[in-house]
Amino acid sequence: MQRAEKTTVPAGGVTRARGRPKAWHDKTEQNTIKALDRALVILQRLGDLEEATLTELAADLDQSPATLYRVLTTLQFHDFATFDETRQVWSVGAGAFLTGAKFLRGTSLVERARPFLRRLMEATGETANLGVAKGHDVLFLSQAETDHAIRAFFPPGTLSPMHASGIGKALLAQRSEAQIKRMVSARLVERFTEHTLTTAEALIADAEVTRGRGYALDGEEKNIGMRCIAAPVFDVFGEAIAGLSISGPVARITDDRIDEIGAQVRHEAAALTAALGGAAQG
């Protein structure tokens, strides 16, 4: 039999669970930690902006750059913020995901996706992935690995450029031309291989092809010898909130298997969409 939590009854007769301070229901300023409150506000705003220079963030929050810098470097130490030396911009770090993943384990997306990832991996023989957009990157949340010795590996928390990943291209295909152009102008669109698409025109054309066939193809655009096929997952509002993909070597994901695997990925993404109560636009 489960034992009820012991409580104490103070003189006033109000029952209070053990371990809670007297001021449990008091949310006034005197019972908040100002430095922590400031850090959380900064982290949340940085997430809203996706990325920002120190000057931009200081102006946005109307805070001293010196104070803001101390908070950001503290967040960076714990990997809750990351700094791009080349572009001099700050963004939310993977540590925020790792902490959030403890929450995500109990949410519908990751939990609901598990059987679909497993089924997709078993049907194709390749590693299946679940990812979401994080700024101009894809953040991988979960994976069902194949037993093949040579395989793709994207552990939870891995970031991959949106323009050079299957899931990223599947999500880009659900965006407008203007949004794709803004992404290209806002970040360094790196050329990883001779196959990488690096211009807005090329990505817009690829997005149109992706929408027409229902799946995206990363054909050695990030790594030579590796292919990725992905399809979007939609929420109840018809918005693409995630993507499912399979990744593997060109030697196994051959040209004659692309359409077959694409149909399987598209099917599982649609099934996950339905399980989440979602529906694709149109």
Side-chain angles (χ1 to χ4, degrees):
M1 180 182 297
Q2 185 176 7
R3 189 169 62 185
E5 182 182 12
K6 183 178 179 180
T7 60
T8 58
V9 181
V14 178
T15 301
R16 174 166 54 87
R18 183 172 60 184
R20 292 179 180 176
K22 289 183 179 180
W24 173 256
H25 296 290
D26 185 353
K27 306 302 182 186
T28 58
E29 187 175 345
Q30 66 180 2
N31 285 302
T32 62
I33 301 173
K34 292 183 179 179
L36 179 58
D37 182 72
R38 180 187 296 116
L40 291 174
V41 168
I42 292 169
L43 183 63
Q44 290 166 352
R45 187 55 183 152
L46 190 58
D48 292 338
L49 295 173
E50 297 185 357
E51 60 182 25
T53 64
L54 179 63
T55 301
E56 290 169 342
L57 192 57
D60 183 85
L61 293 170
D62 193 24
Q63 293 192 19
S64 160
T67 300
L68 192 61
Y69 180 75
R70 288 196 297 271
V71 173
L72 288 171
T73 53
T74 301
L75 291 171
Q76 184 183 29
F77 179 78
H78 293 281
D79 203 26
F80 274 67
T82 185
F83 182 62
D84 186 323
E85 294 279 355
T86 303
R87 299 169 52 237
Q88 295 287 296
V89 294
W90 291 88
S91 58
V92 174
F97 163 75
L98 295 175
T99 298
K102 295 177 175 62
F103 167 77
L104 280 172
R105 280 198 293 268
T107 64
S108 59
L109 178 58
V110 173
E111 288 302 312
R112 290 287 185 91
R114 291 186 188 281
F116 300 93
L117 289 171
R118 173 63 59 178
R119 194 159 61 212
L120 189 54
M121 183 274 290
E122 291 174 349
T124 62
E126 301 298 339
T127 295
N129 313 285
L130 171 71
V132 297
K134 179 186 179 297
H136 303 309
D137 296 304
V138 171
L139 178 65
F140 288 90
L141 301 180
S142 189
Q143 183 177 68
E145 283 190 78
T146 179
D147 292 329
H148 289 299
I150 300 176
R151 60 184 183 273
F153 183 55
F154 301 102
T158 298
L159 288 171
S160 185
M162 187 169 283
H163 72 284
S165 70
I167 290 178
K169 293 174 71 180
L171 295 176
L172 278 180
Q174 309 309 313
R175 299 185 179 183
S176 67
E177 291 188 9
Q179 288 174 315
I180 294 175
K181 288 177 180 178
R182 281 199 296 270
M183 185 206 74
V184 173
S185 63
R187 70 165 298 162
L188 173 64
V189 182
E190 184 176 352
R191 181 179 296 278
F192 297 100
T193 75
E194 60 182 310
H195 305 291
T196 309
L197 305 181
T198 58
T199 66
E201 292 73 20
L203 288 166
I204 288 169
D206 184 81
E208 184 175 354
V209 172
T210 294
R211 286 191 296 272
R213 66 189 173 198
Y215 65 85
L217 173 64
D218 161 16
E220 302 183 83
E221 292 161 46
K222 181 65 164 58
N223 298 292
I224 290 294
M226 299 297 290
R227 275 179 172 157
C228 181
I229 299 173
V233 175
F234 299 90
D235 65 10
V236 67
F237 303 106
E239 297 178 353
I241 57 168
L244 286 185
S245 73
I246 63 94
S247 304
V250 172
R252 292 199 302 266
I253 305 178
T254 52
D255 290 347
D256 60 340
R257 293 192 67 204
I258 290 177
D259 283 342
E260 170 200 343
I261 293 175
Q264 291 170 316
V265 174
R266 188 175 63 233
H267 174 78
E268 294 301 336
L272 177 55
T273 292
L276 294 169
Q281 290 181 342

